[in-house]
Amino acid sequence: TARLLGHEPEVETCLVEMSWGEWEGRSFPELRQVCAKELEVQRARGLDFRPTGGESPRDVQERLSPWLMALATPTLAVCHKGVIQAVYSLATGWNMIDKPAEKPRANTAHLFHVKAGVPMVERMNIPLEAE
């Protein structure tokens, strides 16, 4: 994706997707069928949602914190939805229990301004158009 956007990728390990532990590779519809009650309990925990053996969004935020603090120049980050939601939550105070003010959509770009490690939303859901 970085190359398609005209950049040479460099792997940044803190941007790896949230670990889903025992739920890794399963979709929410599948989880609703297999473990609906556990999923409901976990989703109600918001930032502390944690699949068995996995990470919480709060863990992801903590993992991202040093990287965000180190950003000094405009940076393109290509990552998955869990990381985007964690940054969006930091930027807006969204607790991940209620609906977000603006839902980060897939296959779009999101522009954040980061100052002293604190992200602020500039623009969400920027369409990506192929040439």
Side-chain angles (χ1 to χ4, degrees):
T1 302
R3 282 191 183 105
L4 290 173
L5 294 171
H7 295 271
E8 189 59 34
E10 294 179 31
V11 175
E12 178 55 61
T13 57
C14 75
L15 293 176
V16 69
E17 177 61 322
M18 185 175 106
S19 170
W20 287 85
E22 292 179 8
W23 292 356
E24 196 72 46
R26 293 179 146 178
S27 66
F28 271 104
E30 181 183 354
L31 290 170
R32 281 188 200 102
Q33 290 177 347
V34 175
C35 54
K37 286 192 182 219
E38 182 182 358
L39 178 61
E40 184 179 323
V41 167
Q42 286 297 333
R43 289 185 79 175
R45 297 180 70 208
L47 286 166
D48 295 309
F49 168 104
R50 181 188 305 279
T52 302
E55 300 182 271
S56 71
R58 193 178 309 277
D59 292 336
V60 174
Q61 290 175 337
E62 289 173 13
R63 173 167 34 100
L64 292 170
S65 183
W67 179 75
L68 290 169
M69 285 295 295
L71 291 177
T73 60
T75 303
L76 171 70
V78 177
C79 53
H80 290 276
K81 186 177 180 180
V83 173
I84 294 166
Q85 288 181 328
V87 172
Y88 179 81
S89 172
L90 285 170
T92 63
W94 174 46
N95 62 11
M96 292 189 166
I97 295 172
D98 303 320
K99 290 185 178 190
E102 188 168 8
K103 182 179 180 180
R105 292 193 315 261
N107 304 317
T108 60
H110 312 285
L111 180 60
F112 295 93
H113 177 81
V114 180
K115 185 174 182 179
V118 179
M120 296 169 276
V121 173
E122 290 285 329
R123 185 170 170 210
M124 297 295 293
N125 301 313
I126 302 164
L128 297 175
E129 298 177 10
E131 291 184 23

